[in-house]
Amino acid sequence: MSAQALRSAAVLDDPVEIRLAGREVLSLALLDARNHLLVRLALDESAPALRLALHAAWYQEHWIACHVQRGRGEACDPAGVRLAGLEPALADWLMSEGALGPPTPQAVRELLAQTLEVTLELLAGTPADDAALYFYRQSLLHEDRLCEALDVRRRAGPPPTRAQRDALWLPAQRWRMGAEAPARGWVPANERGQLEATLPEFEIDAQPVNWSQFVEFADDGGYDRAELWSAAGWAWAQALNRRAPLHVEQLRGAVVVQRGAKDGAGLQRAAPGQAAMHLSRHEAQAWCTWAGRRLATEPEWELAASTCGSRGFVWGDVFEWVAGSARLWPGAPPPAPGALDGLPVGTAAAHGVLRGGSFATRARWRHLKARRFAPADSDTMFCGFRSCAM
C-alpha cells in the first residue's frame, strides 16, 4: 500500500478527522461504507436485511439527491419540495407490510450503486463548507449505523477476550461534558451543548463486566430475586420469562451463545473474559445491586475513558449502559434535519444512555464524546456495562 493510501486509510478511521472531513475524504469514506454494507448484505439476503440496506439508498435520495435545499444543511426546510427519486417503489419496499414486498437482492444492489453514483457526483460539485457538507457527513454516519444493524441481525461476534484488570481510582475533579459549536466540522446532535460536572473521587472498573462475572450473578439466583431489580426491570424480566441475556442458550458450566444467521447459525462457547453483551439496562442495574456496586455516570465514564487509557481502561468492546435517563446537554439546539441521535420525543425518561462503541462500530465513530439513546429494556445491540464502587 502506498504512503498516500495509508494516510487516506488512517484519516477514514480517525474519529476526530472524520468530523472535519471535506469532499475528498467524504467521497472515499462513502465508498468505503457502501462496500462494507455490501459485504454484510452478501451474508444475509433476508427481507429484513434487504430493507435495512435500502435505507442507505433512501437516505441519500431523500436528503441529498432529491432535496433541493441540501446545500443549506441544518438551516434547510425538512418539509421542502423534493425532486423525484430513481425508484418510485422505494418507499413501498421499505415498509414491512408494503404491497410490493422487498425487491430481489440484485435489484437492491443496483439501486445502491445508482444512488451512490448520484451522491458522489453531487458531492464533487458541492462547496467546501460545513453547511453544504452536512448531509454527506450525516449519510456516512447513517450508513455505518446500518452496517452495525446488519451485524446485530446476524448475531456477529464475539468481542475480544481480555485478562481481568483491577478497578481504577480517580480523584475528585471537574469534567466538561458535551461540545461547543466548532469553528468548523460537524458534531452529532446529542453531543451538543455543555455541562460542567463536579465529580467526587470514585472507583471504576477498568473494563466492562465479563461473562465470568455475570455468571456468578445468575448462579446466585439473580434472575429470580425481585429485590435485586427495579420495579420496571422486574416486570420486564417476568413478562419475558428472562433467565439469561438475549441469545444465551446456557449459563451454567459454560456460556453458550447463538451466533450467525440462517445457514451460518450455530452455538458457540463464549470465553469467560469476553464482555457480557446483549444486556438490557435492567439487567445491568440488577447485577450492580447484587454486587453492591452501581453503574457509572456519564461524566465518570467519559473522564475515565479520556484519561485512563495508559492505566488499563478499555472501552469499545461493547456499548456500555451508564446511569441516568436520556437527555440533551444544556444549551443544545433542537436536533437538525436528518439527525440520527435526537432526544426521543415523549419517552426520554424511559430511555437510557449508551457510551463508547462495540466491536462492530467502525473505528471512525469510536469517539470519546459519542452517545446513543436506547430504551432501558433494549438488549438487541452489542451492549454491556461496567460498574463503580458505591
Side-chain angles (χ1 to χ4, degrees):
M1 185 178 289
S2 67
Q4 180 60 42
L6 286 171
R7 285 194 294 272
S8 297
V11 170
L12 294 187
D13 285 340
D14 190 307
V16 175
E17 290 297 325
I18 204 65
R19 296 178 177 212
L20 303 170
R23 289 175 302 196
E24 293 76 12
V25 170
L26 278 173
S27 180
L28 291 172
L30 288 166
L31 279 166
D32 174 66
R34 185 56 53 87
N35 288 334
H36 205 65
L37 181 72
L38 292 172
V39 167
R40 273 135 190 81
L41 191 58
L43 298 171
D44 181 5
E45 294 183 341
S46 65
L50 291 171
R51 290 191 184 95
L52 277 172
L54 281 170
H55 274 87
W58 173 85
Y59 194 96
Q60 290 186 356
E61 280 215 326
H62 186 78
W63 290 111
I64 297 175
C66 300
H67 189 28
V68 296
Q69 292 188 28
R70 63 180 174 274
R72 298 183 62 192
E74 298 186 35
C76 76
D77 177 5
V81 175
R82 281 182 166 79
L83 305 175
L86 292 171
E87 176 50 68
L90 179 56
D92 190 272
W93 285 347
L94 291 173
M95 297 171 58
S96 60
E97 302 300 329
L100 299 179
T104 65
Q106 182 58 33
V108 171
R109 290 184 176 86
E110 289 174 0
L111 185 58
L112 287 170
Q114 292 167 355
T115 53
L116 179 62
E117 182 179 2
V118 171
T119 295
L120 295 179
E121 287 178 356
L122 293 171
L123 175 58
T126 295
D129 63 73
D130 290 325
L133 295 174
Y134 170 77
F135 284 113
Y136 298 94
R137 291 166 174 164
Q138 282 285 153
S139 177
L140 177 62
L141 174 61
H142 178 259
E143 190 144 347
D144 282 336
R145 291 276 183 90
L146 290 175
C147 291
E148 278 188 39
L150 286 167
D151 281 339
V152 167
R153 263 198 51 77
R154 66 184 182 87
R155 299 193 289 269
T161 299
R162 300 190 184 276
Q164 189 69 38
R165 291 179 176 267
D166 292 336
L168 305 170
W169 177 86
L170 284 83
Q173 54 193 294
R174 295 179 66 80
W175 186 254
R176 179 172 292 179
M177 306 295 293
E180 295 179 296
R184 67 185 186 92
W186 164 81
V187 175
N190 63 3
E191 296 175 29
R192 301 181 184 186
Q194 287 195 308
L195 174 69
E196 192 83 16
T198 301
L199 302 176
E201 63 182 20
F202 65 97
E203 178 199 276
I204 187 169
D205 293 337
Q207 58 207 47
V209 168
N210 62 30
W211 282 120
S212 67
Q213 295 169 298
F214 195 83
V215 165
E216 293 179 19
F217 160 78
D219 285 347
D220 197 33
Y223 280 96
D224 299 307
R225 297 167 56 185
E227 72 272 14
L228 299 178
W229 298 72
S230 67
W234 185 245
W236 170 83
Q238 294 303 294
L240 296 178
N241 194 29
R242 187 56 61 88
R243 292 295 179 269
L246 183 68
H247 302 321
V248 173
E249 291 293 317
Q250 175 183 307
L251 277 176
R252 294 185 181 277
V255 178
V256 178
V257 298
Q258 301 172 9
R259 290 276 182 260
K262 300 190 77 173
D263 294 341
L267 299 178
Q268 294 181 9
R269 177 177 292 189
Q274 289 171 3
M277 68 178 188
H278 290 306
L279 298 171
S280 68
R281 198 177 73 169
H282 298 314
E283 290 164 298
Q285 290 175 317
W287 185 96
C288 287
T289 302
W290 168 81
R293 294 178 70 81
R294 62 176 176 82
L295 289 176
T297 65
E298 281 200 77
E300 288 170 338
W301 187 96
E302 188 175 306
L303 171 62
S306 300
T307 63
C308 295
S310 62
R311 296 172 57 191
F313 189 95
V314 175
W315 63 277
D317 291 351
V318 291
F319 285 101
E320 300 180 36
W321 291 108
V322 292
S325 299
R327 59 171 174 161
L328 297 179
W329 301 127
L340 306 182
D341 295 309
L343 192 67
V345 178
T347 60
H351 281 62
V353 182
L354 292 157
R355 295 301 302 259
S358 80
F359 62 91
T361 303
R362 300 302 301 271
R364 53 178 164 254
W365 302 119
R366 294 183 188 179
H367 194 284
L368 286 164
K369 297 284 185 180
R371 316 166 74 208
R372 301 263 187 113
F373 298 147
D377 59 4
S378 176
D379 56 7
T380 56
M381 292 174 63
F382 301 125
C383 46
F385 68 99
R386 76 180 70 215
S387 69
C388 287
M390 296 293 287

